[in-house]
Every structure is written in C-alpha cells, then in structure tokens.
Amino acid sequence: MNIHAIKAIYYFEMARWWRTILQSIISPVVSTALYFVVFGAAIGQRIESVEGVSYAAFIVPGLIMLSLLQQSLSNASFGIYFPKFAGTIYEILSAPISHIETVIAFVGAAATKSIVLALIILATATLFADIRIDHPVWMVVFLILTAVTFSMIGFIIGIWAEGFEKLQLVPLLIVTPLAFLGGTFYSISMLPPVWQTVTLFNPVVYLVSGFRWSFYGVSDVDVGISLAMTLLFLAIALAVVVWIFRTGYRLRA
Amino acid sequence: MDTHAQAAVEISGLYKTYDTGFSALKNIDLTIHKGEIFALLGPNGAGKTTLIGTICGLVRPTSGTIKAGGYDVVREFRKSRAIIGLVPQELTTDRFESVWDTVVYTRGLFGKPRDDAHVEKVLRDLSLWSKRNDKLITLSGGMKRRVLIAKALSHEPDILFLDEPTAGVDVELRKDMWAVVRELRESGVTIILTTHYIEEAEEMADRIGVISNGEIILVDGKDELMRKLGRKDLVIQLQEPLDAVPDSLEELGLGLRDNGNELIYSYDSTADRTGIAGLMAAVHREGIRIKDLSTHQSSLEEIFIGLLKDRT
Ligand SMILES: Nc1ncnc2c1ncn2[C@@H]1O[C@H](COP(=O)(O)OP(=O)(O)OP(=O)(O)O)[C@@H](O)[C@H]1O
Ligand SMILES: [Mg+2]
C-alpha cells in the first residue's frame, strides 16, 4: 500500500476544496434554504404532517440526501476529470500507485467533502425545522455508504467524460430527476398504487427511505432492504471501477 | 567506475500500436547503461515521447518487455516507477498550487515520506527557492519547466527522463539546465533526454540513439558516432579564382566553391591515408597559389540530417 501517495492525493484534493471553500459551501446551503422556504413553508402549511412528522422536518433527510448525491457526484467527477483535462494526470499515471489506491484517495476526498457539506446542511436545517435523530449511528452509516457509492459513480463519470458537457450530463439527466422522484419531498405512500410500484425501481428511494428512518423511525420501505440496496449499489459501483481499470479504459494510451 | 556494468533500462522487442491503429514503435531493442546520459534524437512524430511513455507507465506496451532498474515496468510497476522521474514534454502544472506544495505533493505520490530538507535542496539547486511560495500560474514558461524538473527530482530517482527539457528555454537557462543535468549524472543518476537541439546532444550525451518512424535506426557513443560518420572538409582558399578544376585535381576528388575562390576536399578523417600530402603536391604542380587553408569537422547535426536523408 502506497500510503504516502493516498495521503498526497487526498490532501491535494482537500486543499483545492479549501481554496474555494466559501463557494463550495454557500451554494448548497442557499439552495437548501430555498427548498425549505418553498416546500417547507408553502406546502407545509397545507400538509400538516407525514407519518406523524411535521412536513418541514420530514423533508430534511431527503434534502440532505439530494445534496449528498449531487455533491458526491460533482466532487468526484471533477476531481479526476480535471487532471485529465489539464494534463497533470501524467503524474498519477507514472507514480507507483495502484488503481485501488487512486480510487481510495479520490473517492475518499470527494466523500469527505460531501459529508462535511451534508452536516452543514443538517445544521442549517435545524434553523427551519424541529429535527430529531432516533438512530444517529445508522444515520452516519447511511451517510458514509451513500457518499462513497456516489463518489465512486462520480469517479467513473470523470474517467468516462471527454468534455465538460458529459461531466454534467449524468447528474443533470439521471441523478437529479431520480432524486426528486425518489421520495425526497414526499412519502411514497402518498402516491397512487401504480406509481408506488414504479417508484420502487428508483434506487434513490431506498437511500432516502433508510436515511429518513435513521431520523424519525419511519420509512417507505423496510430499513433492512434499504441497507441491502445501499450496499448493493456500492458493490455495483465498485465492480464497475474494477472493470474500468482492468481494461485500462481511457486513462492510459 | 564501471558505468556499463548494469543496465538502467532494458527494452526488448517492444511494439506499440495505438488504439487508432497507428504503429508508433516497431520492434525496439535498447539498453541504457547505468549512470550515462543518453540522448534520443528523431524528427517530430518519430516516437520519442511514446517510447518514454511506455517506460514510465503512461503508455501501455502492445508487446515486448521493458525493465527499469531490473524491474519489469508492468509486473513490478511499483518498484520500477519509484526509481523513475519524468519531466514531460508538455508544460502541465496545476495553476493555483504553490511551487513548494506541488513538489511536496509529487514526493508523496511516489511513496516517499515527507522530507523538507530534500525538497529545499532541489529547489535551491534549480534556483527556485525564492519562488517557493509563488503560485504556478504566475511563473514564466522556463520557470515552469524548472518546477517540472524539481517535481521529477523530488523523490530522488535513479533514472531521469527529460522529454525536450530545453524547448522554449533561453540560452542562459539552457546552460544552467545542462549544468544541473551534469551534476545529477555526477551523483549517479541515469539520464535519458530527447531534444531537437542537436548541439545539446553533442554537448551533453555519452551515447546517442536515433529513432525514425518508430524504429531505432542507430545507437552509438557520441564520440564514436562523430568519428565514424563525421567527415572532414579541407578548404583551400586561392589567391586567384579558377574557372574550372584542373583535370589532375578533379581525379583526386577536389571541387570548386565560392565562385572559384576555394577548392574543397572531403575526406574520412579516420582513414589511414587521407591523401592530403599527394593532393597538396598536385595543387603545387598546377601552379595554383594558396592564400589560406582550413579544415572543418562535420557537426552532429550534419551527421543526423544525413542519416535521416539516407532513410527516405
Ligand atoms: N494517443 C495517441 N493516439 C494515437 N496516436 C498517437 C498518440 N500519441 C502519439 N501518437 C502518434 O504516434 C507518433 C509518435 O508520437 P510521439 O509523440 O511519440 O512523437 P515524438 O517523437 O515525441 O515527436 P515530437 O518530437 O513532436 O515530440 C505520432 O505520429 C503521433 O501522432
Ligand atoms: Mg515528443
């Protein structure tokens, strides 16, 4: 294990983040605050409570998940795409570092950033709603698993992308819609039965549901299934990463 | 010191075909000795950067084997890459990093524990110490090139690749770099460089390899190369110009130049008999009066151009 290399990349990535820390934090915090104003205050007045939780509090775990997904994807995809774009990737490719170590460093840094952000958003949310966390350990577990999984997906996108458009494509066209349709702002039980079934094909449902359970003990799907699905997504992302490196896909000429 | 005892780099039967189907390296066999300065020469697109890339891990070899420091660069990549430093042809640096941070970063990447004293020494040797806190984006091209060299030296490599290290570098800085490279060689580092400035190879290299269209067409010691392929010209300046070369002199291979003001004779300086004595006697017999004599040794550049011309 080349620990020095993992540390070098990790610190490098964190330092890059630190240089623009204000921008990195302000925009997600502001957009979350806006969601609260629009959904929490406006809709919340019509929906008293969902499964015994006030609407404003109910949407908090979903909002955090939404940011976590977006941030993990964009941090990780940009982290590996940028050296490719700038040409500095030559250094990583010529270093005595294995693929797995490269992934650990980049994904670790991206996941760290998005988790820090998720916690900041959680803190911000306490200003708008009464939040309680019934299962703090499980909350952290879901947070970490999801951040790592989506950072890995981001890493894959960053390797695959040849231009900035492709970098934006997957988050914009796939992940954000899935997140919005995945029970972020509502409970699946509020949908007609047909749509409830359709929704179960949306992976984000399991992430949001499990995460929400760790807050309020209520969930759309059984928490065990949520956990299993989360681990499955992690395994799939890992498998794709391994496959990419096995085939030397796109990094080495 | 017997520098030829062991190979720093050993390449055999190396082929590289890019995904485009383009065959950039064809059956390369090359050994680079420990502690030497090896200059790789060849026209644009010959495959110099590709060859370096296969050794350093940037380019996947299609077939063949490469060993660096005795380690297979594919199977034992950790060991081989740890002892290699690479200064790429392109000036690629992070923009907002400081000089110090970027050099420290590379050292870590290559698996070495932090060592501020070593980083300081590298920066001082390259006259970068006063710029250590400067952001890379604020540096000039020549200075960026130095930073890339500092990065490549940050982990104390045994083998250093310099891909056109002096491209776009002014004369003074170039001389400085030559001094740095010589000093590195003194300390035992093996250096492989590519350059389009032939005089640079002439000045620095112990051995020279010429690559053309993905094939190594020649590898030899610089002195041997210049001796073997180098021609000497004898130029005889005349008091009065000649209209034509007299028959007796033409037989000996003399030619006219400079509107008949100079007679010129090319010969192989390593031959046992250069024929100069007989030639001078013949000139004398023709009653030609000589103003001055000079000889000119062909440069590596002329040899190089001649070599490539022979190929096409
Ligand atoms: N990634 C790639 N895919 C396809 N072809 C490539 C790739 N990289 C290089 N080539 C081709 O391989 C050949 C050798 O390129 P290379 O960069 O090794 O040449 P070079 O000798 O370093 O030239 P220069 O003196 O211009 O730097 C060129 O014809 C180039 O177009
Ligand atoms: Mg080149």
Side-chain angles (χ1 to χ4, degrees):
Chain A
M1 226 6 161
N2 187 346
I3 298 291
H4 293 296
I6 295 175
K7 270 164 67 178
I9 296 176
Y10 185 87
Y11 288 142
F12 176 88
E13 282 294 298
M14 295 310 283
R16 197 162 56 75
W17 189 56
W18 192 247
R19 278 198 291 271
T20 54
I21 187 75
L22 250 112
Q23 288 138 267
S24 312
I25 286 179
I26 279 181
S27 94
V29 168
V30 166
S31 60
T32 309
L34 283 175
Y35 284 132
F36 273 116
V37 172
V38 175
F39 289 95
I43 300 175
Q45 282 178 348
R46 288 159 177 262
I47 306 171
E48 295 245 303
S49 68
V50 185
E51 300 180 31
V53 182
S54 82
Y55 184 71
F58 177 84
I59 63 172
V60 169
L63 281 179
I64 293 175
M65 262 303 155
L66 183 64
S67 290
L68 193 69
L69 299 187
Q70 289 171 334
Q71 291 296 320
S72 297
L73 283 179
S74 69
N75 282 330
S77 60
F78 193 77
I80 188 70
Y81 176 77
F82 194 73
K84 249 176 43 169
F85 170 74
T88 51
I89 189 99
Y90 87 86
E91 223 181 346
I92 292 169
L93 296 182
S94 65
I97 173 169
S98 70
H99 301 320
I100 296 301
E101 289 157 0
T102 313
V103 173
I104 292 173
F106 276 103
V107 167
T112 308
K113 294 176 207 173
S114 55
I115 289 171
V116 168
L117 236 130
L119 295 176
I120 290 174
I121 289 172
L122 177 61
T124 313
T126 57
L127 303 175
F128 297 90
D130 281 329
I131 295 163
R132 55 163 222 276
I133 303 173
D134 288 353
H135 310 282
V137 174
W138 283 110
M139 186 207 86
V140 172
V141 169
F142 277 114
L143 207 58
I144 292 174
L145 286 179
T146 310
V148 168
T149 303
F150 280 77
S151 295
M152 224 173 307
I153 296 171
F155 186 86
I156 295 164
I157 295 169
I159 284 184
W160 164 76
E162 289 148 347
F164 281 100
E165 302 78 28
K166 278 193 177 173
L167 211 55
Q168 313 280 4
L169 208 65
V170 175
L172 210 63
L173 287 186
I174 302 174
V175 177
T176 304
L178 285 182
F180 273 91
L181 300 173
T184 309
F185 299 107
Y186 53 87
S187 164
I188 307 180
S189 60
M190 296 157 92
L191 297 172
V194 179
W195 284 106
Q196 287 189 26
T197 314
V198 172
T199 304
L200 290 180
F201 289 98
N202 179 350
V204 178
V205 167
Y206 301 93
L207 303 174
V208 172
S209 170
F211 196 51
R212 187 176 289 137
W213 171 86
S214 70
F215 278 72
Y216 309 117
V218 296
S219 59
D220 291 331
V221 290
D222 186 82
V223 66
I225 294 175
S226 281
L227 184 63
M229 292 303 254
T230 309
L231 289 171
L232 178 69
F233 301 145
L234 180 64
I236 292 172
L238 198 63
V240 174
V241 167
V242 168
W243 174 78
I244 281 182
F245 282 130
R246 278 272 160 77
T247 56
Y249 188 70
R250 286 201 191 188
L251 276 182
R252 289 195 165 84
Chain B
M1 186 176 65
D2 183 8
T3 54
H4 293 237
Q6 256 178 307
V9 179
E10 261 185 295
I11 302 172
S12 65
L14 173 66
Y15 285 83
K16 174 61 190 179
T17 305
Y18 281 112
D19 294 341
T20 55
F22 182 80
S23 173
L25 296 176
K26 300 161 200 157
N27 200 15
I28 303 276
D29 291 307
L30 179 63
T31 301
I32 291 164
H33 306 312
K34 245 179 203 163
E36 72 175 343
I37 298 182
F38 187 92
L40 191 60
L41 306 180
N44 287 133
K48 301 181 294 294
T49 301
T50 303
L51 180 58
I52 290 176
T54 57
I55 305 167
C56 297
L58 303 182
V59 176
R60 289 173 295 143
T62 305
S63 63
T65 58
I66 306 171
K67 283 185 177 177
Y71 303 116
D72 187 286
V73 301
V74 177
R75 278 184 290 109
E76 299 168 287
F77 74 92
R78 273 184 206 276
K79 285 178 181 154
S80 71
R81 289 185 204 164
I83 57 167
I84 292 177
L86 167 65
V87 180
Q89 181 173 2
E90 309 286 333
L91 278 177
T92 48
T93 52
D94 284 295
R95 302 154 69 81
F96 302 109
E97 286 284 291
S98 72
V99 171
W100 174 269
D101 287 346
T102 200
V103 176
V104 168
Y105 167 74
T106 306
R107 185 177 167 85
L109 205 54
F110 279 75
K112 286 279 167 78
R114 200 172 161 145
D115 181 350
D116 290 357
H118 176 72
V119 173
E120 177 172 345
K121 181 180 180 307
V122 169
L123 291 181
R124 285 193 189 278
D125 286 351
L126 289 161
S127 311
L128 283 168
W129 183 243
S130 63
K131 307 231 178 246
R132 64 188 177 281
N133 294 320
D134 291 10
K135 299 258 172 292
L136 295 171
I137 193 172
T138 67
L139 300 182
S140 71
M143 281 295 160
K144 280 194 190 123
R145 182 77 62 186
R146 284 181 178 221
V147 172
L148 290 180
I149 296 177
K151 281 161 80 75
L153 293 176
S154 68
H155 58 284
E156 304 154 71
D158 298 337
I159 306 169
L160 180 66
F161 288 89
L162 298 160
D163 199 351
E164 299 194 27
T166 53
V169 166
D170 70 27
V171 181
E172 202 176 332
L173 199 57
R174 199 179 300 170
K175 295 245 159 83
D176 283 1
M177 280 192 191
W178 292 353
V180 169
V181 169
R182 279 204 196 90
E183 224 170 274
L184 281 168
R185 202 256 307 262
E186 292 301 305
S187 71
V189 178
T190 306
I191 291 146
I192 295 112
L193 59 88
T194 74
T195 180
H196 286 291
Y197 303 106
I198 311 290
E199 92 238 28
E200 188 160 270
E202 195 169 340
E203 172 88 22
M204 306 268 297
D206 299 310
R207 287 198 311 146
I208 287 168
V210 179
I211 183 169
S212 170
N213 286 321
E215 290 176 86
I216 298 268
I217 58 176
L218 178 137
V219 178
D220 212 342
K222 179 188 63 189
D223 297 336
E224 289 77 25
L225 189 64
M226 299 200 54
R227 217 177 317 118
K228 265 191 246 162
L229 297 177
R231 304 285 302 176
K232 245 183 180 170
D233 292 335
L234 173 69
V235 179
I236 305 167
Q237 287 190 322
L238 308 174
Q239 298 260 10
E240 294 109 23
L242 289 173
D243 292 333
V245 185
D247 288 346
S248 66
L249 296 184
E250 197 153 22
E251 276 170 24
L252 294 171
L254 267 82
L256 263 186
R257 232 175 43 174
D258 192 23
N259 295 324
N261 281 305
E262 287 177 0
L263 278 169
I264 182 154
Y265 174 61
S266 292
Y267 61 101
D268 181 350
S269 56
T270 58
D272 289 341
R273 296 171 56 88
T274 57
I276 290 182
L279 181 113
M280 294 310 289
V283 169
H284 190 73
R285 273 199 301 277
E286 290 289 336
I288 296 169
R289 290 198 296 157
I290 297 170
K291 192 155 125 203
D292 202 359
L293 280 177
S294 63
T295 59
H296 165 74
Q297 169 90 52
S298 56
S299 69
L300 187 58
E301 178 135 18
E302 287 157 339
I303 296 172
F304 177 64
I305 289 167
L307 257 177
L308 293 175
K309 212 180 273 156
D310 290 348
R311 306 277 305 176
T312 50

